[in-house]
DNA sequence: TAGAAACAGGACTTTTTTAGTACGATAAAG
DNA sequence: CTTTATCGTACTAAAAAAGTCCTGTTTCTA
């Protein structure tokens, strides 16, 4: 089954939680908006802390969240939730969206790139998938922190998942 | 990187080869069209025989090729190449196309299926991807047996790959 | 200024998935 | 009845993903 990695599911769950946090923040919309620590987010989402820390680091490196170090540091969304697409999140977590390995970036591994007539078709397929994923925004995925992915440990997480 | 398994690439290559074989067949279009053995297809595509055998078995079970046993047996396409979509092939080789595990089939593993508001969105995404893949037919991928996937052993395979 | 809280980065281990192989059984042709 | 094939399944090995941990750096607070 063509599917996303678990870390990607976690990422969407975590970012969803960050949306909640931003909305609840008193300094909402302001520059000095609150940030949430990995520890806190772990407790809210039920995802184990070491794992969620890894996910957050990846998201930070990908520019989807901004981080602040030191005590009282943490993470917050880099952009409003309706400007972050699912496609972006997947790209950061799973790498570029390309259904086949035979893609522009590593054409040197393909001994017949120049003459291969199928690459345009794969390109069209990839583009179609990409726009499908870019059309759905994080905002659309909201209301619940960890649905759509499934780990069992979400069970005891929270009640606003409905 | 979201990508297909190698076996799926092989499958497309093999089915492409079967298209060639059917076209070259004297009994082309007839009921008694020739069939190609796994051994022969392996030699034509450069894919190792045990592996290609496995692929063909999967394709046969999925109904994309028909098989005939016994001496002079082998495989042939179950449908014309322009009626076989890439999506079908992927579905047979990699299972149903569903970008998340949280899909109708195994909703019992999700403890909040009923109330989860994101499943419809994932459904839309899945559908978009599915139609992108169903829109491309095997016919469109033709002209060369093993391009678009890349294994190095395609190098010494054949000359009509251009 | 010392200590605590928190992220950064990387190395490491474990688990899961995928790929590849092998073998005994069955079926058809000559 | 021998040869050429597929069928089904089980097994092994290799690759990828997930998860964990440690060491260092930054920043706030007391």
């Amino acid at each position: 089954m063509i599917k996303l990695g678990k870390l990607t599911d976690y990422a969407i769950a975590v970012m969803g939680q960050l949306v909640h946090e931003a909305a609840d923040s008193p300094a909402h919309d302001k520059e000095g908006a609150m940030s949430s620590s990995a520890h806190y987010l772990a407790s809210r989402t039920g995802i184990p802390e070491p794992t969620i820390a890894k996910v957050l680091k990846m998201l930070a490196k990908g520019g989807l969240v901004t981080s602040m170090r030191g005590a009282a540091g943490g993470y917050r969304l880099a952009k409003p939730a309706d400007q972050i697409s699912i496609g972006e999140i997947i790209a950061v977590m799973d790498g570029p969206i390309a259904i086949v390995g035979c893609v522009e970036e590593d054409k040197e591994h393909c001994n017949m790139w120049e003459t291969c007539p199928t690459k345009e078709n794969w390109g069209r397929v990839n583009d179609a998938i990409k726009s499908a994923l870019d059309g759905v925004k994080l905002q659309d995925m909201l209301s619940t922190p960890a649905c759509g992915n499934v780990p069992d440990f979400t069970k005891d997480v929270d009640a606003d998942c409905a």
Side-chain angles (χ1 to χ4, degrees), chain A residues 5-77:
Chain A
K6 281 192 202 174
L7 296 186
T8 306
D9 282 340
Y10 297 160
I12 293 172
V14 170
M15 294 190 76
Q17 186 62 43
L18 284 175
V19 175
H20 282 294
E21 299 301 328
D24 294 349
S25 169
H28 168 224
D29 266 0
K30 301 256 175 51
E31 205 12 68
M34 61 175 285
S35 64
S36 310
S37 72
H39 178 78
Y40 173 75
L41 291 169
S43 75
R44 290 296 284 170
T45 58
I47 299 168
E49 184 165 342
T51 299
I52 212 176
K54 184 183 201 174
V55 169
L56 285 164
K57 278 182 260 191
M58 294 172 83
L59 290 173
K61 191 149 64 179
L64 294 182
V65 301
T66 56
S67 64
M68 278 159 306
R69 320 226 307 196
Y75 298 92
R76 82 174 69 129
L77 291 181

